[in-house]
Each structure stands twice: as structure tokens, then as C-alpha cells.
């Protein structure tokens, strides 16, 4: 089990390899990437910022909870900070398990938890040069 | 006691700082710290009840705060 | 959209890259691998055989149905034939979508459909030298 | 008519062949072909109602079969 807030590009293949183990029959992977259009506006990239110490703690707790809930220790999660260009990965979750059902359930549970509670924020950069925090209209 | 409260993302922008110093009573709770930070911000820049973390864990409004705690105001998260 | 019955090792990273597109915010991947123990017996590998022409047709139909059902054309599926060693991939499914929910739903639907209807069979090879068809006790 | 019926996996093992030739009536249906193949197999080697594919599609027992059709008996599938 390993989780990290990283500032360098995520190596998805390495994550997949990292969770593999002979006792597992299933590897489930989820990769979140930066989309070209959000809410009708053309996006060039997203700047991710985090409250790093807390984000690391929350990510680690999520992975541990997922492991206990779905019965595996083969969980690896990485989340980017810094500027992530169009098409690049902002988050990757790899889970291996003896069986496919819990592998996929755990992957989904982890991404939902990340979105709910890990203190990470994103500022979208638009084609027209504008920048805006996402989801923080006060 | 004196506390340096951490700010992030839109909250940091609203106050023009990554942290602000506030003075609160020695028996202050999370809600008291929030009130003190809001008093420094432009009107409506911070919600009445923002998420707050104490020592990297989400905390309720009635949690007691100590001078050695790391207190942070957490804007709506948007990871993933 | 691409599906294939293949006799060479599956390149999981290539599949993931193949479905990526700027309009997508999510890539979901499932990899089935050969486990070291099945039903209490130590396994060294699995020999996959297929009714290739029909398996190709069924796989293709599953991908098309998934695409229509979940709203994406970014689906790639590969299934192995031949001898697959312990830990190696027997099947890989990659789906990209604008949103994470349908990407993960489609991935799960595809693996369930494959198990239900694609004419592929497996003979397990055991540590003690025995070999047995899986799930064909008549 | 004469048909070469394809066999796979445990069914191929049971009959010791990848295909078997059967002679059925010109208006034969899938169920008739199955019966003809079972007559060639050791007792209980093939189930009474195996899955059958005609021209790479699963077919019901009452589907008519033509001499140009590719007919296959499909053991319980185990992909994935």
C-alpha cells in the first residue's frame, strides 16, 4: 500500500505493475485526466494545489480504509500537484485483488472519497487566458 | 492566545495571504477561530461555516483549540 | 474502438494510451491475471483456447454494445489465447469517457459480458503436473 | 445433408476430434444436429443441451440448419 502527492508526471504503467502479485487475479486502474472542455469553456490545463501534509494523511487513510473494507493491501494512489496539461493524468488509483468485483469496487470507492475529502484544489486555465478556481464560487 | 491560521486556494486569494494571525481566548473553539478570521476578510469572502482542519484532521465547530494546534480553513475540495 | 484475440503478451500501458483523448476526463482499466492458487490448488499457468472467429465477433459486439450503452467510442479490449504464465494478463479492458462513472460502469459491464458469452476456455496447469479444463465438469 | 460440426475444449477431448461429420435430414434443426453428435460420443460426455453456435452466433434448438452453415458445440465458456 502506497499513496503520494506528487509534482512529477504519474507513471500509470508503473502503478499497475506495483500492485501486481501472484495471489491476485484482478487489477483495476482508474486514471483521472484533464479534459479539453469543462462547463462549456475550452481548457488548456489545470493547476492543482494541495494542503500537502493533510492531503497525504487523508490519502493514506483512504487507502487503508479501502484495504480493510475490500480485503486487499495492494493499493497504490498518486495525486498530482502543480500544472497538469490537457490529457495528462491528475490522479491514478491501482488496486489488485484476488477477485475482480472487490478490485473494481475499491477503485471506485477510493476516487469518490478523494473527491469528497482530500484537501486539493484546482484552478482551470482557459484558452482565452482566464484562470478560475473550480467549485469555489462563494 | 495567538494562532496562525492557514489559508488555501480561493480563501488565500480572498485574504491575500497564505496564513493570517488571530488572537482568541485561551478556551477558544474552532468556531471562535473562524469568527476571528472572517473579521479580517472582505464581507462574504469566507462562508459562515467553512470546513476547518485541526492538526490535519477535519474538526467540528465546538472542538477546543490549543495554541500549538495547526489550524487551517479548507475551501470546498476539488481533487481527482 | 478495437477488440482482439491475441496470442502475444498484452501491453497494458499501450491499451491505456490508445483510449486516451482530450475530451475524456477518465480512463478505467481492468486487467485479469493468472492467480497462483485456484480452488485450493497451486497453479503454474493457464492455457487459453478460443473459437477465434466467434470470439472476435462476440468481443466486437460487446465493445459496440458497451459504447452505445455508456456513451463512448473509446473502448479497447484484448484477450489472450495460448499459455499465460502466473501473474501475466489474460484479458485487458480500457475505457475512456468524459466522466468517471460511465467509464467504470462500462469496464465492469464488459468483463461480465466476456465471462458470460465469449467462447474462450481455460485449462489450468498445476504445480503437480496435472492439467484440467476449468468450469467444464460434465 | 452432411455437416462438419466444430468441437472445442472438453467436448473436443470427449470425442477425440476438433470436428465430427454427421448426417442429418435436410430440414434438420439445431437440436437434431446435437442429437447426431451425441450419438457419436461416449455416454454422458456431452450434455443433453449444450450451447450451439451457427455461423458464430448462439442458436436455439429449433433454429433450422443449412448445409453451408458453420455449426459448433460450445462448452461452458471460461474467458476472462
Amino acid at each position: 500500500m502506497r499513496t503520494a502527492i506528487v509534482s512529477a508526471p504519474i507513471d500509470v504503467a508503473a502503478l499497475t505493475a506495483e500492485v501486481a502479485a501472484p495471489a491476485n487475479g484482478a487489477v483495476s486502474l482508474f486514471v483521472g485526466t484533464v479534459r479539453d472542455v469543462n462547463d462549456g469553456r475550452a481548457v488548456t490545463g489545470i493547476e492543482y494545489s494541495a494542503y500537502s501534509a493533510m492531503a497525504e494523511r487523508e490519502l493514506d487513510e483512504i487507502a487503508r480504509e479501502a484495504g480493510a473494507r475490500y480485503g486487499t493491501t495492494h493499493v497504490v494512489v498518486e495525486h498530482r500537484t502543480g500544472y497538469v496539461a490537457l490529457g495528462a493524468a491528475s490522479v491514478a488509483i491501482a488496486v489488485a485483488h484476488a477477485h475482480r468485483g472487490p478490485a473494481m469496487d475499491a477503485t471506485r470507492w477510493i476516487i469518490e472519497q478523494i473527491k469528497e475529502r482530500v484537501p486539493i484544489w484546482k484552478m482551470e486555465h482557459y484558452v482565452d487566458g482566464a484562470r478560475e478556481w473550480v467549485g469555489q464560487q462563494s | 492566545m495567538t494562532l496562525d491560521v492557514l489559508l488555501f486556494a480561493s480563501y488565500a486569494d480572498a485574504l491575500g495571504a497564505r496564513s493570517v494571525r488571530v488572537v482568541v481566548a485561551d478556551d477558544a473553539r474552532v468556531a471562535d477561530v473562524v469568527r476571528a478570521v472572517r473579521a479580517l476578510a472582505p464581507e462574504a469572502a469566507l462562508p459562515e461555516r467553512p470546513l476547518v482542519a485541526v492538526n490535519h484532521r477535519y474538526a467540528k465547530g465546538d472542538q477546543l483549540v490549543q495554541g500549538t494546534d495547526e489550524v487551517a480553513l479548507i475551501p470546498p475540495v476539488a481533487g481527482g
Side-chain angles (χ1 to χ4, degrees), chain A, chain B:
Chain A
M1 199 169 288
R2 184 177 66 81
T3 64
I5 303 291
V6 298
S7 53
I10 296 173
D11 183 343
V12 169
L15 256 66
T16 312
E18 188 176 343
V19 293
N24 295 321
V27 177
S28 173
L29 179 76
F30 176 81
V31 184
T33 54
V34 173
R35 283 202 289 156
D36 58 359
V37 175
N38 194 20
D39 282 335
R41 297 179 71 178
V43 171
T44 57
I46 296 181
E47 180 85 26
Y48 283 84
S49 58
Y51 178 10
S52 295
M54 182 175 173
E56 299 257 16
R57 205 197 56 71
E58 286 286 334
L59 264 193
D60 185 62
E61 196 169 285
I62 288 168
R64 280 171 203 282
E65 282 180 36
R69 187 180 277 254
Y70 297 101
T72 179
T73 57
H74 302 115
V75 177
V76 176
V77 183
E78 290 191 358
H79 198 300
R80 280 292 310 274
T81 54
Y83 185 78
V84 183
L86 190 57
S90 55
V91 61
I93 301 161
V95 177
H97 196 286
H99 303 289
R100 69 186 182 284
M104 292 185 282
D105 288 343
T107 306
R108 184 183 297 245
W109 187 83
I110 290 168
I111 183 64
E112 299 303 336
Q113 291 291 314
I114 287 172
K115 293 200 167 256
E116 198 173 304
R117 61 192 240 205
V118 180
I120 294 176
W121 302 278
K122 47 189 179 191
M123 179 176 266
E124 282 185 341
H125 293 219
Y126 304 102
V127 167
D128 61 11
R131 299 173 177 201
E132 225 168 73
W133 291 109
V134 177
Q136 295 186 41
Q137 296 71 18
S138 54
Chain B
M1 61 186 161
T2 300
L3 279 172
D4 286 323
V5 178
L6 304 181
L7 302 172
F8 296 94
S10 60
Y11 294 177
D13 288 357
L15 279 94
R18 307 277 251 159
S19 74
V20 288
R21 180 160 296 183
V22 295
V23 178
V24 292
D26 284 352
D27 62 348
R29 294 170 190 267
V30 162
D32 301 314
V33 176
V34 167
R35 213 168 291 124
V37 176
R38 291 189 81 228
L40 302 174
E43 187 126 12
L46 297 181
E48 238 182 273
R49 296 186 182 190
L51 288 173
V52 177
V54 176
N55 300 329
H56 308 149
R57 292 181 181 275
Y58 290 109
K60 294 190 173 169
D62 61 0
Q63 183 174 321
L64 282 167
V65 176
Q66 297 185 304
T68 53
D69 286 341
E70 180 171 311
V71 180
L73 265 52
I74 310 288
V77 302

